[in-house]
Amino acid sequence: MFRSRSCPALLISAPASGQGKTTLVAALARYHRQQGRRVRVFKTGPDFIDPTLLEQASGHPVYQLDLWMVGKRACRQLLYEAALEADLILVEGVMGLFDGDPSSADLAQAFGLPIALVIDSSAMAQTFGAVALGLANYRGSLTIAGVVANRVAGPGHRTMLQQSLPVSVPWLGGIAGSDTIQLPELHLGLQMADQIDSLEQKLDAASGLIANTELTQLPAPVSFSPAKGQPPPKCLKGVRIGVARDPAFCFVYPANLQLLEAMGAELRFFSPLTDTTLEGIDALYLPGGYPELFLDALADNQLMLNAINDFYAAGRPMVAECGGMLYLLDALQDQQGRQRALAGVITATARVDQRLAGIGLQGAEFDQGFLRGHTFHYAAFVEPPVFTATARRSDSSPAGGEPGEGLIRQRNLVASFLHWYFPSNPAASAALFLPSARPNAARVLVIPNESSEGR
């Protein structure tokens, strides 16, 4: 019988995006790690970029927590496993505290996580207290550990902000604005950790700002109970999966790779930017990323484009997500309007625009059941491909009744703007990489917004 395990834990949220959640969580992780504590960090929602920064800060892989995409049962198990070995668990929220369905508040309530609110105070004074009070009281069932003022101008400003708080909302400290901890951004959000110059110095500088706050103390412990299910079957034993991994293809959930290996697959990483062959692999996984930023290098590597076409012509399984799908098109235009020919496996062209073209939790029904994921992209088709199926949005989406992303099914290729979360359905995920399985996504069902113990 598995017993519950207690561990200090804190969810960091805010009234909106851009308040400094990621920087604060990274600073906390680095500070407590420097004190010799074992820190485990999670990210709320389907984000690829922030976890790379938080992994660098904490020294451990960062997994997603999402009540719809991951499921409540799996989230519970992830938190329990972290509590078995950690001295501190940190969870970065997504958007504002109550934004989305499910929201960061829903996640905190589901697992009893105390919440630290971070508010950008750079353009406010006494209104700081009103914003904090409103967030703290909007849902009475939440536990608010306190509030952090970010981008504080100086001692006088800090005093003003602290005095604006009611006694019911604890002050956790003020963080001064500093260019030394500013994290650079791209059109998809912050830059990936391995693309940021002097990241270690930025993390250490951010850690130093924690020293004069109440955040040096560990938060209250939270009890986490196990929800362990059955281990996945070894249905991919002996299957060698080539996984694209380089600066152009870097959006992949650690949980996806972990599941493939748990099902027996051997993962072989390669770079479409620099490698020229696809030797010794049985299936191909092309995750998303930034192909538009490396358009010339990808287009000029004709040997790899030829290898991709040969692999497809041989009828071997291929899974392409978002940027991986764009790589397989006839051509792609970057944000400056420059177009280059690419693999030509999919008869279509696309361009990357300045405007967000797709966002939200979606999934599709395969023979083995419903496979969940999400979409977030600035690319749009100029000449669209032939779609064989359409994904469905989560029923909690504001556009829940509208069709989702199109799915491309050619030979043993499955491609879409969707980023799949493989652990949401191991059987369907395994079938994508098995030549004999030939998963069928010809029909799509509406699946309820499930946050029960059933998943």
Side-chain angles (χ1 to χ4, degrees):
M1 175 67 94
F2 294 99
R3 296 183 178 180
S4 298
R5 181 64 177 252
S6 293
C7 181
L10 195 64
L11 184 144
I12 289 80
S13 191
S17 297
Q19 303 285 297
K21 295 190 301 291
T22 304
T23 301
L24 180 60
V25 176
L28 281 169
R30 178 54 60 93
Y31 174 84
H32 287 284
R33 180 184 175 191
Q34 290 172 335
Q35 310 311 306
R37 298 180 179 123
R38 296 164 297 178
V39 183
R40 299 295 181 272
V41 185
F42 294 93
K43 170 62 182 175
T44 309
D47 187 291
F48 290 109
I49 301 173
D50 292 358
T52 67
L53 301 167
L54 302 177
E55 177 177 340
Q56 188 81 7
S58 65
H60 291 276
V62 174
Y63 293 89
Q64 272 63 37
L65 297 177
D66 185 275
L67 295 176
W68 187 84
M69 188 179 78
V70 178
K72 188 174 181 179
R73 178 185 293 274
C75 287
R76 184 180 299 281
Q77 184 63 23
L78 286 168
L79 287 166
Y80 172 76
E81 291 172 355
L84 290 175
E85 59 179 21
D87 300 307
L88 172 65
I89 293 174
L90 297 172
V91 181
E92 183 191 346
V94 60
M95 301 183 292
L97 177 58
F98 301 102
D99 295 333
D101 183 10
S103 65
S104 298
D106 295 330
L107 185 75
Q109 185 169 333
F111 300 111
L113 298 169
I115 300 167
L117 299 166
V118 55
I119 301 174
D120 181 354
S121 63
S122 59
M124 66 173 69
Q126 285 83 0
T127 303
F128 177 84
V131 174
L133 180 62
L135 289 169
N137 290 342
Y138 189 78
R139 188 186 296 183
S141 56
L142 299 175
T143 299
I144 304 299
V147 62
V148 179
N150 194 24
R151 302 173 184 133
V152 178
H157 189 208
R158 180 182 287 104
T159 299
M160 191 183 305
L161 297 169
Q162 185 173 0
Q163 290 178 347
S164 74
L165 288 175
V167 294
S168 60
V169 182
W171 168 261
L172 295 179
I175 305 293
S178 172
D179 291 339
T180 61
I181 64 171
Q182 188 68 33
L183 298 174
E185 298 186 10
L186 291 170
H187 56 283
L188 296 180
L190 296 173
Q191 287 189 19
M192 299 289 285
D194 59 3
Q195 300 297 307
I196 299 177
D197 293 334
S198 306
L199 179 57
E200 281 296 308
Q201 292 89 327
K202 289 180 181 293
L203 292 172
D204 288 340
S207 170
L209 299 177
I210 299 297
N212 296 321
T213 71
E214 298 299 319
L215 296 169
T216 58
Q217 304 300 311
L218 288 174
V222 177
S223 179
F224 297 104
S225 57
K228 197 170 184 65
Q230 295 295 321
K234 296 287 186 180
C235 50
L236 290 177
K237 187 175 182 180
V239 178
R240 300 163 298 181
I241 301 176
V243 182
R245 185 166 70 177
D246 59 22
F249 301 98
C250 49
F251 292 171
V252 63
Y253 295 120
N256 279 10
L257 303 182
Q258 183 175 314
L259 175 66
L260 294 176
E261 290 184 318
M263 292 191 292
E266 177 188 343
L267 304 185
R268 297 190 175 185
F269 297 98
F270 73 99
S271 170
L273 287 170
T274 59
D275 289 333
T276 57
T277 63
L278 292 174
E279 296 180 356
I281 62 173
D282 307 302
L284 194 60
Y285 182 21
L286 299 171
Y290 298 104
E292 68 277 10
L293 298 183
F294 301 90
L295 192 54
D296 286 337
L298 292 171
D300 291 342
N301 190 355
Q302 191 61 51
L303 290 176
M304 177 53 70
L305 294 175
N306 292 341
I308 293 287
N309 272 275
D310 291 344
F311 196 90
Y312 171 74
R316 296 173 183 171
M318 299 173 64
V319 179
E321 302 174 340
C322 200
M325 177 192 67
L326 297 178
Y327 178 57
L328 298 180
L329 302 185
D330 288 328
L332 177 65
Q333 295 177 24
D334 63 17
Q335 288 186 315
Q336 288 70 46
R338 297 172 59 256
Q339 179 168 306
R340 294 295 306 271
L342 292 173
V345 170
I346 299 171
T347 304
T349 61
R351 65 171 175 264
V352 179
D353 293 326
Q354 302 292 331
R355 181 186 303 177
L356 187 64
I359 185 173
L361 297 167
Q362 299 184 25
E365 184 78 14
F366 291 89
D367 289 343
Q368 297 79 14
F370 198 73
L371 181 60
R372 301 181 181 223
H374 90 286
T375 182
F376 183 86
H377 59 93
Y378 281 71
F381 287 113
V382 178
E383 298 177 13
V386 175
F387 297 119
T388 57
T390 304
R392 290 295 302 222
R393 305 173 192 273
S394 71
D395 68 320
S396 61
S397 167
E402 299 178 8
E405 301 284 1
L407 272 66
I408 301 164
R409 187 79 174 90
Q410 299 177 188
R411 299 167 70 98
N412 270 333
L413 165 67
V414 176
S416 173
F417 274 119
L418 279 174
H419 301 271
W420 303 110
Y421 186 75
F422 293 160
S424 69
N425 188 328
S429 301
L432 296 173
F433 297 97
L434 289 171
S436 59
R438 296 187 178 274
N440 179 13
R443 63 188 181 88
V444 177
L445 304 179
V446 179
I447 300 298
N449 180 19
E450 183 178 337
S451 59
S452 69
E453 289 292 347
R455 287 186 61 240

